[in-house]
Amino acid sequence: MSYGLGIARGMWVTLQHFVDTYVQDAQYLFKSKKYRSSRLPERQGPKNARGLFTVEYPYEKLQMSENFRMIPFLVYNSATGQERCTSCGICAKVCPPQCIWIVRGTDPQTKRPKPEPVEFVIDATICMSCGSCAEFCPFDAIKMDQNYERAAYDRWDELVLPKDKLMKPDTYHYELHPSAKEAEAANIAKSERAKNR
Amino acid sequence: MAALKERFGEAIQPAEYEGVVVANDRLLEVARALHDEMGYEYLSSVTGVDYFDKGYLEVVYHAYKLSGGGPLVFKARTPRDVAEVPSVVGIWNGADFQEREAYDLYGIRFAGHPDLRRILMWEGYEGYPLRKDWKEAYYEQDKKPFDSRWPGGQHVPAEERVKYHDNVVFPSEGFNVETFTPEAEQLLYAGITHIPGSGNVEGIGTDAIVINIGPQHPSTHGVFRLAVRLNGEQVEDLKPVMGYLHRNHEKIGERNTFIQNMPYTDRLDYICSMSNNFGYALAVEKLMGIKPPERAEYIRVIMAELTRVMNHLAFCGFLTNEMGAFFTPFIYAFEERELILDMFEMASGSRMMCNYFRFGGVVRDVSDEFMTRLKHMVYERLPKKTDEMEELITSNEIVRSRSIGVAVLPREKAISLSASGPLLRASGVPYDVRKAEPYSIYDRLEFDIVTRPNGDVYDRYLLRIGEIRQSLRILRQCIEQMPAGEIQTGKKQYQTRVPAGQAYGRVEAPKGELGFYVVSDGSPNPYRYHVRATGFINLQSLETMARGGKIADAIIGLGSIDTTMGEVDR
C-alpha cells in the first residue's frame, strides 16, 4: 500500500461528513424552516442524523423523553386543590443525598400525626436528580420535573425549594408524563383514603 | 481450599462467610504457593475492612485463575493499633496501588512494600478515613436516613448544622507553612530521581531532570499528575500521582443504605454508569440470593453492551485526540454516543447518571419506541459507523507510526500487574469475566473473546474495534431472544433487607474488570462497600509502558489504558 493512502481514506470520510452537513441543511431548508424544534427529533434521530450534529441551543431545544428527570416537585389536584402527599416520609428516607426535609402535620385537637406535610423542603443544591423519591412514593405525590434550566443567582432563595414552590398542579404533571394518568388512579385513591381516615 | 489447609495446617483458619484467614507470619508463603503452584496468577482485589467491634482490621484478597472460575478468598488480620501485614507486591505486582490505598485509608502498614505512601489523600493528611471511628467534615450521623429529615425536618444548611471544624484536623497541630516539607512529595521524587551517570550521552555531561506533567489535564482524561524523570525527551522513570477527585466514595457508601448507593455508583466511571450499576447490583444480589427475571436480565445485558459500544467508540476519539487528531474523530464518536445516551434517557430518565438497576430487576421496562430505536441502531447504524471509524483511523499512517510498538505491555507484566479488560487482552491474555466467570445471561450468548498479540497502543485500539463488533453481535442475539414478562423479582422496597454476609460481584465493564466487595451485617446499610476500580488498578501498568519511550508516547499510553478519573480517585 502506498504511503498516504490511509490518510486519504480518512480524509474522504471527513469530506463526506462535511458535505453531508450542507446537503442536510439544504434539505431542511426546503422542507420547512430549519430552526423549528418540532423537526429536531427527526433531524437528530438515528435514522437521519448525518453531517453536523449539534443543536443551536437555546434557539432550538431537544425534546426530552417522558422519563427525563430533573429535581422533584409535589403534585396537587388542580380541581380540588388537595395535595397528594401524606407526609409518610418514604421519600426523605430513600433520598441518597438526604435533601428532603418534611415537617409532619399534627391534628391540633387529638395531637395525633396528620397525613399532610406542614413543611416540605427540597434543597436543589444537594439533590442529585436520581428519581428515587418519585419511584418509591406510594401515593404518586412526588414526581420528577423536567425543567433543566435552573441556573440561579442566589443559592438560598432560589434553590432551596419550600412547599409553595414545589407544589404543581396534576395537569402539569400529566403534561410531562402523559402515560402516568391511568397507572396512578389506584395510588391516588389510596392517598385520599389515608387523608380521610 | 482443602489442599491449602492440609499443607499449611494451623496457619489456615476458616473465615466467616467465605474464604480463609491466613496467619500473618505465613501469609507470604501461602501467597507464593497460590501463585506459583496452584495457578492463582491473577490478584483481582486487595482491600481492608475495619471490624471495629472485634478490634481488628482485615485485609481481604481475591485471587483468580486465568483459566476461569471463582475466586480464592483469603484474609489476613491485624490489630487496629499496630496494623501491619506483609506485603504481597513481590508476588503479585498488581497489589501495589491497592495496598497503598489500604494503607492510606485504613492505616495498615504493608511490611516490605517498596513505596508505601498515601495515594488518594493529600500529603500531610492525618487520620485514616475509612476506619469506623473517623468522621468527615459536616458529619451528621453514622447512618442514613438521618433523623433530622422526618418527621420534624426543619431545613438547616449543612454549614450551619454541623460546623466544618468539628471533626476535621486541618491543618494539623503544629503545622507551619514556612517549615512544612511535603515528605511524601520528596519520597515520590526520590523514587524516580537521578541515578548517577544515567543521563550521560556519549560523554556529554547531560543530566536527567524530573518534571511534573499535570495535574491539570495532562491528557483528555481529567486531573491527574505524572512525575517523570526525563533524559532529553526519553522517559526514564514515571510515577502516577492521583487523588485529585477523591471524595471518599466508599465512606459515603457505608453511610448510605444499600439502595441509596445505586446512584452513587453512576458517578464512579461516569462514561459507563450502566456497567457500574450492573456490578453493584450483582454484588448485592449475591448477598440477597436473588436473581432478576429473564426479561430484566436481557435488558441489563443490552444496557451493558450498549455502554461498551459507546465507551469504545469514545475511546477511539480520546485516543486520537491524544495523538493530535484534534477532536474530529472524537466528535464523530460522540455522535453515536449521543444517540445511545438518548436511549438511556428514554429508559432510565437520565443520560449519564442512569441509576437504572435495582436489586432483582431494573427500574422500569423499556418501551416499544426504545426497542425500535435499538433495532435500528444495532442492525444498521452502529455497524456502519464502526466501519467508518475504522476507515478513518485504522490505516492512517500517522496513527500507525504513532502507535505500533508504542507503550508495549508484555503478557507476563500485564498479568502480574493485575491489568484487566482490553489492556490485558491486547497483551494476548484471553481473559474476560463474561467468559471466565459468567454472570447474568452471558453463558448462553455467543461471542468471542477478542485478543491481540502485541500489547501496544495500536493493538489496544484494534481490540476495542473488535469488541464493538462482538458487542453488536451480543445485542443482536438479545433483541432476537428478548422474552416478555416481569422486570422485577419480588416487591421493590425502599429499604432493602440484606442478610449478613460478604460478596464480591464483578463484571466486565468496558474498561476492564469492575468489582464491588460488599460486607453486610444484616442492617439496612452496608458495613463495608469497596469498589475495585478498573482504571485505578490499570494505571499501574503505565510505568512499565512508558519507561524508555518518549513523553508524547507516555501520554498515548495513558490514553490507551482508558481511565476515567472519577473512578480512579473515587
Side-chain angles (χ1 to χ4, degrees), chain A residues 1-7 9-10 13-14 17 44-47 49 51 53 63-65 67-69 87-90 92-104 119 121 123 128 130 132 135-136 155-156 160, chain B residues 144-146 148-157 159 161 256 259-260 263-264 267 328 332 335 338-339 345-350 353-355 358 363-364 373 376-377 381 385 388 391-392 395-398 492-494:
Chain A
M1 196 171 65
S2 62
Y3 194 83
L5 203 64
I7 296 176
R9 280 169 69 183
V13 174
T14 342
H17 272 257
Q44 299 292 98
K47 284 215 170 74
F53 197 74
Q63 271 179 352
M64 295 290 128
S65 85
N67 293 329
F68 176 65
R69 47 185 155 83
S87 76
C88 68
I90 286 179
K93 285 178 209 154
V94 79
C95 176
Q98 296 284 291
C99 71
I100 303 179
W101 281 262
I102 305 171
V103 178
R104 190 172 57 189
E119 276 183 48
V121 178
D123 192 338
M128 59 174 16
C130 66
S132 294
E135 189 187 332
F136 290 100
R155 180 179 165 189
W156 303 121
V160 177
Chain B
K144 286 177 186 172
F146 298 148
S148 67
R149 300 299 194 272
W150 182 87
Q154 300 279 357
H155 175 250
V156 187
E159 291 87 328
R161 199 169 54 237
N256 282 344
I259 193 83
Q260 284 175 347
Y264 280 93
R267 284 140 176 97
T328 303
Y332 292 172
E335 284 177 13
E338 207 59 32
L339 290 168
E345 188 186 282
M346 277 160 105
S348 74
S350 186
M353 303 298 140
C354 297
N355 185 18
R358 290 290 172 269
V363 172
R364 61 174 77 78
R373 198 157 174 170
H376 180 79
M377 289 294 278
R381 189 168 173 108
K385 290 290 169 177
E388 193 187 276
E391 182 90 10
L392 187 64
S395 60
N396 188 308
E397 284 80 1
I398 303 172
K492 203 156 59 178
Q493 278 164 329
Y494 72 92

Side-chain angles (χ1 to χ4, degrees), chain B residues 35-48:
Chain B
H35 178 269
D36 294 352
E37 292 156 40
M38 298 168 78
Y40 287 93
E41 281 180 275
Y42 188 79
L43 185 68
S44 168
S45 158
V46 180
T47 186

